[in-house]
Amino acid sequence: MLQTAGAFAGGTVLAQLFPKSVAAAFPGYVGQAGATPTDELAAARARFGKVPIESTKLAGNLTMFSGPGGNVVALNGADGKLLVDTFTQMAWDRFKKIMDDLGKAPLKFVIDTHWHWDHTDNNANVHAAGAALIAHENTRKRLSQTHDLKFLNLHFYPSPAAALPQHTFEASYQMHFNGEHLTLGHIAPAHTDSDIYVHFQKANVLHLGDVFFNGIYCYIDGGTGGRVGGMIAGANKMLAMVDNNTKIVPGHGALGNKTDLKNFRDMLETAHDRIQKLKSAGKSMQETVAAKPLADLDPVWGKGFLNGDTFVQVVYTTL
């Protein structure tokens, strides 16, 4: 079950997993004609469910798992197991077996980095397995609502009660578990308005959820408060917290470090400034895309599920 091909980290698998009907609203993609948002969600779950689960050791009792959804971190020990994020539904059986293979200790806690489905899709399953769910208060709020992510052509109904976080916080949350001290902190609207970081202080590991996409253009959910300026501010806040030895877990992409996060921040600043200049000059979104303001960045950053033209539109609409 544990495979280390590394393709997911490079973005090629990510590009195949997200709904191809992104093309319905954005150039550069081949859409699925007539696909409904509900169909697209089922198809996306099926695609993610087939992705291999890869394992990266972070510390003695701390492991990162990648593949069928956003990156997951597991803390295992005598106190039980703690997870950060939960992968997608159709990967649950495989992931549960991997968790069981880590040891007999029960699953006690799960932390959601934000509300999006590829990070919270197994909330009900982990709760049924005995875990208490912890998240920012806006994650509970967003999971309780109906959402249409028009950019991805996905429709979400309110989550069942069992999938909602039982413990929420506004600004910060502290906990001790398995010899680790965890600090959870809200990041002002960035990828969404529900983003948090999870800092494992002893291991010097920082999980940033989707406030950090390592090496690829990021999605920003303007419909639930996401802003490109907030992404930049969040990256700057996190850069001030880490050192050169910190292992930084992105929402998507390979395990990173301070240099990787700085490069991501620099890319966002460049995109923000170039696109803001065009928008302030009165250019429409289509005219801004046609100007190719990120052409020099695309060969490096455009290898994920967003190409350069699409990312220009994401930034334009979240300025």
Side-chain angles (χ1 to χ4, degrees):
M1 284 198 179
L2 298 181
Q3 299 188 23
T4 56
F8 185 83
T12 55
V13 173
L14 188 65
Q16 296 168 8
L17 291 174
F18 278 86
K20 293 182 179 179
S21 63
V22 168
F26 297 91
Y29 290 82
V30 177
Q32 295 176 337
T36 70
T38 302
D39 291 338
E40 286 285 19
L41 180 57
R45 281 186 168 127
R47 288 192 293 271
F48 269 110
K50 297 176 183 177
V51 178
I53 297 175
E54 303 172 6
S55 173
T56 302
K57 181 69 74 173
L58 301 176
N61 61 346
L62 203 60
T63 307
M64 183 180 91
F65 295 97
S66 303
N71 290 328
V72 171
V73 168
L75 174 64
N76 180 48
D79 294 339
K81 299 185 183 81
L82 176 149
L83 298 178
V84 182
D85 290 341
T86 71
F87 284 146
T88 55
Q89 285 182 12
M90 296 185 73
W92 171 244
D93 289 343
R94 289 187 295 131
F95 187 52
K96 183 179 184 301
K97 184 180 185 305
I98 289 171
M99 290 297 100
D100 291 343
D101 288 345
L102 285 179
K104 296 182 179 179
L107 180 59
K108 291 289 189 68
F109 296 102
V110 170
I111 300 167
D112 294 333
T113 59
H114 62 294
W115 79 268
H116 280 160
W117 73 285
D118 53 322
H119 299 257
T120 63
D121 214 26
N122 280 305
N123 272 9
N125 285 326
V126 296
H127 183 53
L133 292 158
I134 304 169
H136 187 262
E137 59 188 15
N138 285 343
T139 292
R140 182 180 174 91
K141 172 185 173 183
R142 296 302 187 184
L143 287 173
S144 301
Q145 300 170 334
T146 297
H147 294 284
D148 286 291
L149 299 188
K150 295 181 180 179
F151 171 72
L152 298 175
N153 194 32
L154 298 176
H155 176 80
F156 297 92
Y157 294 101
S159 298
L164 300 178
Q166 290 85 47
H167 305 285
T168 63
F169 62 93
E170 180 181 2
S172 63
Y173 190 93
Q174 307 277 332
M175 60 188 299
H176 293 275
F177 195 71
N178 285 331
E180 264 291 352
H181 183 76
L182 286 75
T183 300
L184 286 59
H186 184 226
I187 301 172
H191 175 68
T192 68
D193 62 8
S194 63
D195 303 305
I196 65 169
Y197 65 84
V198 181
H199 188 198
F200 298 86
Q201 294 185 348
K202 181 179 177 181
N204 196 15
V205 170
L206 183 67
H207 196 318
L208 286 184
D210 281 1
V211 177
F212 177 33
F213 281 54
N214 192 10
I216 54 177
Y217 287 137
C218 61
Y219 172 54
I220 305 171
D221 183 4
T224 58
R227 294 292 180 268
V228 63
M231 290 287 287
I232 295 168
N236 283 328
K237 179 178 180 178
M238 295 300 100
L239 283 168
M241 285 182 55
V242 302
D243 59 40
N244 291 332
N245 296 314
T246 306
K247 296 176 181 178
I248 306 177
V249 178
H252 298 279
L255 180 67
N257 55 33
K258 187 173 184 178
T259 298
D260 296 322
L261 180 58
K262 182 180 181 298
N263 290 340
F264 179 69
R265 188 276 315 272
D266 292 348
M267 178 276 293
L268 288 172
E269 286 185 334
T270 299
H272 174 282
D273 293 349
R274 292 178 183 178
I275 296 167
Q276 181 67 73
K277 182 178 180 180
L278 291 166
K279 188 173 184 178
S280 297
K283 300 293 184 182
S284 68
M285 185 165 66
Q286 290 73 23
E287 290 170 331
T288 301
V289 170
K292 300 290 184 183
L294 306 182
D296 58 323
L297 303 181
D298 291 346
V300 174
W301 296 93
K303 298 176 182 178
F305 83 103
L306 296 183
N307 63 24
D309 288 351
T310 309
F311 185 60
V312 168
Q313 296 176 71
V314 169
V315 173
Y316 188 97
T317 56
T318 59
L319 284 169

